[in-house]
Amino acid sequence: VLVSLVGGASVTFNKAFSSFGLADKALRLGTLIEENTLAGIGFANARNLYSSSGYFASVDTPAAKAFAADYAKRYGANAPALNGLAESTYEGFLMLEAIARRAGSLDTVKMDAASEGTSYSGPRGTATIKARHVEQDIYVADVTDKGFRVVKTFPKVGSGQTCKV
């Protein structure tokens, strides 16, 4: 089952799906399910639930670990869970900085002209802008009793490219 619902709608759907016993009978893939949505769904309702994203808090790379350590140091143990939404916001600023530096300006026309081929390094690793999209790793994760566990990485997926198993 492809779940394309967001936030509370995804939580309600996945809880109901599980309550009908369907979680044991069918796999689900949610392309918009991140750590906070998973917390709402609950681990008990997440059997056979997968998600795909450019970032999960459980990504096990040096860059992702450093990002998580910096986040924990700055905001403490009671901070909201790291997730793809927050990480994407952070990377948006990294992208802006990289393009502006390359353009030597914050002028949008100059930045547009300079964007092609611009790269930056963030928690997801190195991302490169090609044809106005970011070429980046995409992860597929399942759910354990501790949260998301990355089970497959599709490296450097670009716009228009599909992930091959």
Side-chain angles (χ1 to χ4, degrees), residues 2-133:
L2 179 61
V3 181
S4 60
L5 301 167
V6 180
S10 181
V11 170
T12 301
F13 170 81
N14 282 289
K15 283 182 168 182
F17 189 90
S18 181
S19 75
F20 287 114
L22 297 172
D24 292 327
K25 299 175 184 174
L27 297 176
R28 289 166 286 162
L29 172 65
T31 58
L32 302 168
I33 298 174
E34 41 66 53
E35 283 78 1
N36 291 314
T37 302
L38 178 58
I41 293 167
F43 297 142
N45 298 312
R47 179 191 289 293
N48 289 320
L49 177 63
Y50 292 80
S51 183
S52 63
S53 181
Y55 176 84
F56 291 100
S58 62
V59 170
D60 190 20
T61 65
K65 286 180 179 181
F67 178 66
D70 289 347
Y71 180 81
K73 182 179 176 183
R74 175 153 185 151
Y75 300 107
N78 294 325
L82 273 175
N83 61 61
L85 300 172
E87 189 278 340
S88 291
T89 301
Y90 175 75
E91 282 212 12
F93 287 106
L94 294 177
M95 178 188 293
L96 175 64
E97 178 185 34
I99 296 171
R101 282 186 191 274
R102 189 167 187 198
S105 173
L106 285 172
D107 178 87
T108 56
V109 173
K110 290 179 181 177
M111 289 176 62
D112 183 43
S115 66
E116 183 66 22
T118 298
S119 291
Y120 61 91
S121 292
R124 299 177 193 208
T126 300
T128 303
I129 300 167
K130 292 187 177 178
R132 294 188 170 180
H133 296 294

